[in-house]
Amino acid sequence: MGKGHRYQGANQADRWRRRAGRRMPSRRLPRPLLGLIFLGAGTLAAAVTQFAIQSTAGQQSTITNWTEPLPGHMEGRASVIDGDTVEIAGQRIRFNGIDAPESRQHCDDAKGFDYPCGRRTAQALDKFLAASRPLHCSFVDRDRYGRLVGNCDRAGRS
């Protein structure tokens, strides 16, 4: 008997062990790609953190502003900030249901010419409020910047 017949079972066991020891192809991402993914995620996290810190800088806790109860009403002489925002006694109030251009915003007229529409809306609101002061406001909500959102009337009007 030759060598092949005598150890045939052992040979097959050796082949099985060699096959079992082989590694399957790796399904992992290449290291440079993993590094770029982690770098991107870290950069994104840092940018979000910086934005959150800068957006709350100079303000009292915005979360506190959102959670504290709304005042019942406010009355006083209003200073115009924008065409849809006034300030009474240091408290900014945005008019409910009104969206006007920001005070530095420019618009195009029908002929395509640029004009300061934001400044004009603020001036028009100031002229309207000057006709009768004080302003009476009752509040319905807070906006994303923590400003009160309210329905306001001039004195002498209900």
Side-chain angles (χ1 to χ4, degrees):
M1 281 196 190
K3 221 178 188 185
H5 293 291
R6 192 171 184 191
Y7 298 105
Q8 187 173 5
N11 246 355
Q12 294 216 348
D14 285 343
R15 270 192 255 154
W16 178 81
R17 277 191 209 106
R18 274 184 272 157
R19 211 176 302 145
R22 285 188 195 159
R23 289 188 159 196
M24 296 297 291
S26 176
R27 293 187 182 182
R28 293 183 183 178
L29 294 173
R31 282 185 181 234
L33 184 59
L34 278 175
L36 284 175
I37 290 171
F38 283 121
L39 180 65
T43 303
L44 181 62
V48 167
T49 303
Q50 183 177 2
F51 174 77
I53 290 169
Q54 287 178 346
S55 66
T56 59
Q59 297 177 2
Q60 288 180 330
S61 174
T62 306
I63 294 173
T64 302
N65 289 344
W66 288 334
T67 58
E68 67 186 31
L70 296 173
H73 67 278
M74 188 179 288
E75 179 179 327
R77 181 178 169 87
S79 301
V80 175
I81 305 300
D82 284 329
D84 58 1
T85 308
V86 294
E87 186 173 295
I88 299 175
Q91 182 67 53
R92 291 215 174 173
I93 302 164
R94 179 158 179 158
F95 295 137
N96 185 30
I98 302 214
D99 187 22
E102 300 300 317
S103 55
R104 293 185 179 181
Q105 186 173 338
H106 286 260
C107 301
D108 291 335
D109 64 9
K111 294 181 181 179
F113 293 107
D114 191 49
Y115 73 99
C117 59
R119 187 174 68 216
R120 288 190 187 170
T121 58
Q123 289 169 343
L125 178 60
D126 192 45
K127 185 177 177 182
F128 177 76
L129 293 177
S132 177
R133 302 217 191 238
L135 192 65
H136 303 274
C137 297
S138 59
F139 305 108
V140 295
D141 202 3
R142 289 189 187 273
D143 68 5
R144 62 183 176 180
Y145 304 110
R147 295 178 296 194
L148 293 167
V149 177
N151 298 317
C152 300
D153 293 313
R154 295 187 306 184
R157 297 187 134 203
S158 322

